[in-house]
Amino acid sequence: MPDLSAELVAVVTAVDADVPVLLTAGEPERLPAGPLRSDHRSMQSGLSAWVEQQTGHRLGYVEQLYTFADSGRDERRAISVSYLGLTRTTDGPGWQDWYAYFPWEDRRAPSGVVPAAAAMVDDLVRPALDAWVAAGTTDERDRRRRRADICFGLGGRHWSPELALQRYELLYESGAIPEAGTGGPTVPGQAMQSDHRRILATALSRLRAKIQYRPVVFELVPDSFTLGQLQRTVEALAGQPLHKQNFRRLVTGQELVEETGSSSSQTGGRPARLYRFRRDVLDERHVAGTKLPSVR
């Protein structure tokens, strides 16, 4: 009989030098995880206490992601409760680039340059999906083709950053990643223990959706920041560039930030104004929500 005790799995995220990073542990590589103890008031408080005790990182924003309870997944644990936690500190070992696990997701590149992720989709992902579509029955092919096009922005469709989980699950189903166990050719991307890369994909989709309607991005920047720094942080999470003027207009127009009266000379050019997040906005707009600039 499998052990039915609950396990907490933490996706601890920060942004370091415009690179979205996550905390990993162990060999083979996995996410920080541990049992839910009876002395925890709740799973959420248990996760925060466990992460701080084991890693020394205090979490700011914490949100439950999903409960994985597939009895056939892993005989050692039948229930995994996953959480997303945001922090500003990246000291210590174990921090890894998000896009080492999902290289097809980082579509940032200078204007006029084809992103490496887009080239990967064209050169490696598309052929794998085309073969998967062709292998389906007559009734399945149209459905598979539509799903592949929607997930990866093929066939003239738009790329949607928040579909990271759907893309990962499609690659799994089509046998294009090592976790599928098909033994055939796979697209690049670091695998993880058990279903931890699936949990990570869930967190990426949730965070990308979240930054578009809740100001969680401010949990990942210093107390004082430039608007350029804020934009690069959003771009790092979204995996694609944003229009500079539109971004600044939306952030300042919604009164999400206020000037500190100081400036930074670390931008390489003339000093840039420093801003801080108006935390009062959470109370002012609790019901309606606070929409951050769309990444589309």
Side-chain angles (χ1 to χ4, degrees), residues 111 227-228 230-232 234-235 238 240-251 293-296:
S111 178
L227 292 183
L230 180 64
Q231 178 175 340
R232 292 192 302 274
V234 175
E235 290 175 332
Q240 67 179 46
L242 303 175
H243 188 276
K244 179 178 178 179
Q245 285 71 31
N246 287 348
F247 177 85
R248 297 190 174 206
R249 187 180 305 115
L250 285 167
V251 170
S294 171
V295 297
R296 298 186 178 184

Side-chain angles (χ1 to χ4, degrees), residues 46-57:
L47 178 89
S48 296
W50 187 88
V51 169
E52 185 171 353
Q53 178 185 12
Q54 297 295 321
T55 70
H57 291 280

Side-chain angles (χ1 to χ4, degrees), residues 42-294:
S42 66
M43 288 186 180
Q44 184 162 318
S45 66
L47 178 89
S48 296
W50 187 88
V51 169
E52 185 171 353
Q53 178 185 12
Q54 297 295 321
T55 70
H57 291 280
R58 181 180 293 275
L59 301 183
Y61 179 86
V62 178
E63 174 183 344
Q64 184 174 344
L65 289 171
Y66 194 73
T67 298
F68 296 84
D70 301 328
S71 59
R73 290 168 44 248
D74 191 331
E75 288 297 313
R76 295 170 299 170
R77 54 182 175 82
I79 300 176
S80 294
V81 184
S82 58
Y83 279 83
L84 169 67
L86 307 183
T87 184
R88 296 175 179 174
T89 60
T90 57
D91 53 308
W95 291 97
Q96 303 293 340
D97 185 344
W98 270 88
Y99 297 125
Y101 306 93
F102 311 110
W104 56 85
E105 293 289 345
D106 187 6
R107 301 171 74 87
R108 293 173 294 170
S111 178
V113 176
V114 176
M120 178 184 295
V121 169
D122 285 340
D123 296 341
L124 300 175
V125 175
R126 186 196 295 264
L129 294 180
D130 286 346
W132 175 70
V133 170
T137 65
T138 302
D139 292 338
E140 289 175 332
R141 287 173 196 158
D142 285 345
R143 177 180 58 81
R144 288 186 175 191
R145 179 78 272 163
R146 183 167 56 254
R147 184 178 168 199
D149 290 350
I150 291 173
C151 285
F152 281 92
L154 303 174
R157 294 181 181 270
H158 187 81
W159 175 273
S160 297
E162 63 272 22
L163 296 183
L165 174 60
Q166 290 89 330
R167 283 187 282 272
Y168 173 80
E169 292 187 328
L170 178 57
L171 291 176
Y172 182 97
E173 185 176 336
S174 63
I177 54 177
E179 292 93 323
T182 61
T186 59
V187 300
Q190 176 65 41
M192 300 189 86
Q193 177 180 296
S194 188
D195 56 2
H196 282 202
R197 192 154 63 140
R198 182 187 178 201
I199 294 174
L200 191 56
T202 303
L204 181 56
S205 280
R206 180 73 61 83
L207 187 54
R208 284 180 168 182
K210 203 79 171 181
I211 61 175
Q212 298 187 57
Y213 65 90
R214 289 292 294 171
V216 296
V217 67
F218 295 103
E219 300 290 346
L220 297 168
V221 294
D223 289 333
S224 298
F225 50 84
T226 67
L227 292 183
Q229 182 180 8
L230 180 64
Q231 178 175 340
R232 292 192 302 274
T233 299
V234 175
E235 290 175 332
L237 299 174
Q240 67 179 46
L242 303 175
H243 188 276
K244 179 178 178 179
Q245 285 71 31
N246 287 348
F247 177 85
R248 297 190 174 206
R249 187 180 305 115
L250 285 167
V251 170
T252 56
Q254 294 179 83
E255 299 180 337
L256 295 175
V257 299
E258 61 186 5
E259 293 188 34
T260 66
S262 300
S263 60
S264 171
S265 58
Q266 299 179 0
T267 57
R270 63 181 184 180
R273 296 176 182 176
L274 287 171
Y275 292 79
R276 58 176 163 250
F277 174 50
R278 290 185 59 247
R279 294 205 171 268
D280 290 346
V281 79
L282 296 175
D283 297 325
E284 294 171 2
R285 306 178 192 177
H286 177 71
V287 176
T290 304
K291 189 172 181 63
L292 278 176
S294 171

